[in-house]
Amino acid sequence: MANLSAYLSCFLLLLLLPTHARAELPGTWELLVPDAGIASMHTAVTRFNTVVLLDRTNIGPSRKLLPKGHCRYDRNDAVLRRDCYAHSVHLDLKTNQLRPLKILTDTWCSSGQFLPDGTLLQTGGDLDGFKKIRKFNPCEATGSCDWEELNDVELTEGRWYATNQILPDGSVIVVGGRGSNTVEFFPPRPNGAVSFPFLAETEDTQMDNLYPYVHLLPSGHLFVFANTRAVMYDFTRHVIVKEYPKLEGGPRNYPSAGSSAMLALQGDYSAAEVVVCGGAQYGAFLARSTDTPAHGSCGRISATGENPKWEMEDMPFGRIMGDMVMLPNGDVLVINGALSGTQGFESASNPCLNPVLYRPDQPVGLRFMVLNPGSVPRMYHSTANLLPDGRVLLAGSNPHVLYRFDAEFPTELRVEAFSPEYLAADKGNIKPVIEEVPETVRFGGRFDVVVSVSLPVVGIVEVNLASAPFATHSFSQGQRLVKLTVTSAVPDGDGRYRIGCTAPPSGRVAPPGYYMAFAVNQGVPSVARWIHVS
């Protein structure tokens, strides 16, 4: 009865709608890969339009074999000492074909971030991966790139459930982790790990300070959120610049995690707003309660304001383990997760199958829109990532210690894509196509983007840069959308338009690296072209 009650609460709004209205909820779903071989706990999209999916190593047999002669040997692995199974795969988005990758050390609940040259930096984990640093240098889908475990450098402190964020100079800060109330950097700095007492202060009896939400503000400082509190952190002097008001509504980070996103940076880039939504009720993790209702409150704050306060509103549903994905037009997709329980193995129930669209420019009370539900539960250890064509990739979900396919919520090997309403066929005549764009731009530089559109352009065509984050545990590390300053679109003949753009002014607005450049016409994005900002 408890499960039935929760499902009814999730779909109360839908049940009150007429049948024809329910059938017309925005968004569509498609199955990309029926069996990826692994359940992706961590996911990242590369500049070659491929996707790296990564699980953990000490999980026993996956459903994807390594090439012959490439087995992993680990005498300390309690499940498989001779492991001939892949725990990471490389997905080609053009063909949906998979290639097994070899990871040696345990990546359970680890962290990651792309470096300025496009290499994926991956840090920490459990057991033999606790202090490990790894790299994945992406290649074309037909290439043979694979994981590299660095042997000449390691983390100063072990990092399990930490968060990575690229900084204005292209280095990466690694924040927190279980039992690690410190920060450190890659490349390593002489002072090693530096104490960050805020993390210790936000730890409670069930932790709730793990995988802190970290956003690089355009001021160059970090917005760091843990449990119910947030601070502005100057990582150069290692001091707290500002303490924000407490966010009411219970804990928000692992193991009670909702999710968080920084809204699109635009205008003169002096302002930044952060949203934190959902989470579990305090105590659900300690009690291993699978049916405690998640809360649906959201807080939004002007992180750069002088006297910021949380502006509160409620999602249509309570949600734990939801992912917040920044879309190319500045809206936020809230997807995945459950209505009840908490993070952890066997600790949640009642999947929330309806995505929700958050529209930041709408007034309070009108910002959320319920979208077309999926059919695959995506709960603990699931991910969501924006793709260059504007779809959102959904992967993973494994609420079990090992792989289990006979449970109520089995280990999930399917990979799906969700298409927001802006990809509907009736938007095709206003959908821009990028015809010309430079491959590289420098901070503050001016450049042109040429697009073609079927119908005449009315108003401004935006050019927006979206980062490729590292998604894990309901948070996209390094996620960022920057709306460029642009001129009006000038006709350039044959349905083409030339748009004058100004690159981000500095690494504080857009850290150096590869971005997906989208042209956006009346809220409808083009297929992105990758551009390097430096």
Side-chain angles (χ1 to χ4, degrees):
M1 287 302 293
N3 284 3
L4 179 60
S5 175
Y7 272 114
L8 289 175
S9 68
C10 179
F11 296 108
L12 177 61
L13 178 61
L14 303 179
L15 295 175
L16 293 175
L17 291 173
T19 301
H20 71 276
R22 294 203 303 271
E24 295 170 2
L25 287 174
T28 59
W29 293 81
E30 61 183 308
L31 178 65
L32 299 184
V33 181
D35 184 352
I38 72 162
S40 190
M41 185 186 298
H42 324 79
T43 308
V45 179
T46 83
R47 69 187 189 275
F48 293 101
N49 296 330
T50 61
V51 184
V52 178
L53 297 94
L54 174 66
D55 197 6
R56 62 184 175 99
T57 57
N58 64 338
I59 201 164
S62 69
R63 292 288 181 90
K64 189 76 171 176
L65 286 170
L66 289 168
K68 188 175 181 180
H70 287 75
C71 297
R72 182 180 69 96
Y73 296 90
D74 184 356
R75 59 187 177 87
N76 296 315
D77 193 317
V79 184
L80 278 179
R81 292 186 178 180
R82 182 176 183 269
D83 187 356
C84 298
Y85 296 90
H87 303 290
S88 181
V89 295
H90 193 239
L91 170 63
D92 176 7
L93 291 171
K94 184 176 181 180
T95 64
N96 293 333
Q97 296 299 302
L98 295 158
R99 178 171 62 86
L101 302 175
K102 185 176 181 179
I103 193 88
L104 294 177
T105 55
D106 189 29
T107 51
W108 184 11
C109 301
S110 51
S111 52
Q113 194 82 163
F114 280 105
L115 298 174
D117 67 356
T119 299
L120 178 60
L121 176 76
Q122 217 278 328
T123 53
D126 192 23
L127 302 174
D128 60 351
F130 196 37
K131 300 179 75 172
K132 201 69 181 176
I133 300 175
R134 313 165 193 86
K135 285 185 176 182
F136 183 84
N137 189 7
C139 59
E140 296 283 358
T142 55
S144 58
C145 48
D146 210 333
W147 286 102
E148 175 191 2
E149 312 253 348
L150 304 188
N151 296 316
D152 58 343
V153 63
E154 65 177 12
L155 295 168
T156 303
E157 289 191 2
R159 303 283 172 180
W160 196 24
Y161 302 90
T163 300
N164 292 8
Q165 171 64 54
I166 189 169
L167 300 175
D169 65 354
S171 63
V172 172
I173 188 170
V174 187
V175 182
R178 190 167 182 173
S180 300
N181 298 317
T182 61
V183 304
E184 62 181 283
F185 300 87
F186 182 89
R189 298 186 181 180
N191 50 2
V194 179
S195 176
F196 189 21
F198 168 74
L199 294 175
E201 295 166 6
T202 51
E203 183 176 356
D204 58 28
T205 54
Q206 59 177 23
M207 297 170 291
D208 282 325
N209 67 343
L210 303 183
Y211 278 125
Y213 303 144
V214 181
H215 302 287
L216 174 65
L217 301 175
S219 64
H221 299 322
L222 297 177
F223 179 94
V224 184
F225 186 99
N227 199 327
T228 61
R229 294 175 51 197
V231 295
M232 183 187 291
Y233 179 60
D234 181 340
F235 59 86
T236 60
R237 296 183 297 140
H238 298 292
V239 296
I240 290 175
V241 178
K242 178 181 291 186
E243 293 192 32
Y244 297 94
K246 178 182 177 181
L247 176 58
E248 300 298 333
R252 307 283 182 160
N253 296 80
Y254 187 95
S256 301
S259 191
S260 176
M262 183 171 69
L263 300 180
L265 300 177
Q266 55 191 313
D268 65 0
Y269 306 118
S270 61
E273 293 184 279
V274 173
V275 181
V276 179
C277 290
Q281 293 188 36
Y282 175 79
F285 179 77
L286 294 174
R288 289 293 187 264
S289 171
T290 62
D291 57 4
T292 300
H295 56 75
S297 66
C298 285
R300 174 170 168 175
I301 196 166
S302 174
T304 50
E306 294 212 2
N307 297 295
K309 291 181 173 52
W310 291 100
E311 178 184 70
M312 302 301 297
E313 54 192 317
D314 288 325
M315 294 187 288
F317 316 119
R319 194 184 298 253
I320 173 75
M321 297 180 288
D323 286 272
M324 298 182 76
V325 180
M326 288 296 306
L327 299 179
N329 59 5
D331 290 344
V332 183
L333 182 71
V334 186
I335 198 166
N336 295 341
L339 293 161
S340 309
T342 181
Q343 286 180 307
F345 295 124
E346 322 290 345
S347 296
S349 63
N350 308 316
C352 198
L353 300 175
N354 283 85
V356 171
L357 188 68
Y358 178 78
R359 298 166 294 180
D361 295 337
Q362 296 297 313
V364 175
L366 298 176
R367 289 175 178 160
F368 287 104
M369 176 190 293
V370 179
L371 305 179
N372 187 27
S375 59
V376 178
R378 302 278 180 186
M379 299 168 71
Y380 189 43
H381 290 153
S382 58
T383 59
N385 296 72
L386 177 67
L387 296 178
D389 61 10
R391 295 177 300 169
V392 174
L393 184 91
L394 292 316
S397 187
N398 185 21
H400 314 291
V401 176
L402 304 178
Y403 281 16
R404 280 192 61 190
F405 302 99
D406 59 351
E408 180 182 10
F409 305 114
T411 302
E412 187 51 67
L413 305 183
R414 286 171 288 184
V415 178
E416 297 176 288
F418 177 77
S419 295
E421 186 181 21
Y422 56 52
L423 292 177
D426 62 2
K427 308 283 187 183
N429 53 7
I430 59 172
K431 181 183 178 73
V433 175
I434 296 179
E435 304 287 354
E436 297 177 20
V437 66
E439 293 183 356
T440 302
V441 299
R442 299 190 67 82
F443 291 130
R446 297 184 179 227
F447 61 97
D448 286 350
V449 172
V450 176
V451 302
S452 59
V453 187
S454 296
L455 287 182
V457 167
V458 177
I460 293 290
V461 176
E462 298 178 341
V463 177
N464 300 339
L465 304 183
S467 68
F470 181 87
T472 187
H473 289 77
S474 307
F475 183 62
S476 291
Q477 301 179 16
Q479 180 170 236
R480 198 173 204 82
L481 184 72
V482 180
K483 294 191 173 187
L484 300 184
T485 299
V486 297
T487 64
S488 296
V490 177
D492 203 39
D494 298 325
R496 292 159 57 104
Y497 296 84
R498 185 171 297 273
I499 306 162
C501 306
T502 303
S506 70
R508 293 179 297 181
V509 173
Y514 285 90
Y515 290 80
M516 292 175 275
F518 291 92
V520 180
N521 181 32
Q522 300 181 53
V524 177
S526 67
V527 173
R529 298 272 290 271
W530 289 91
I531 187 170
H532 189 261
V533 178
S534 64

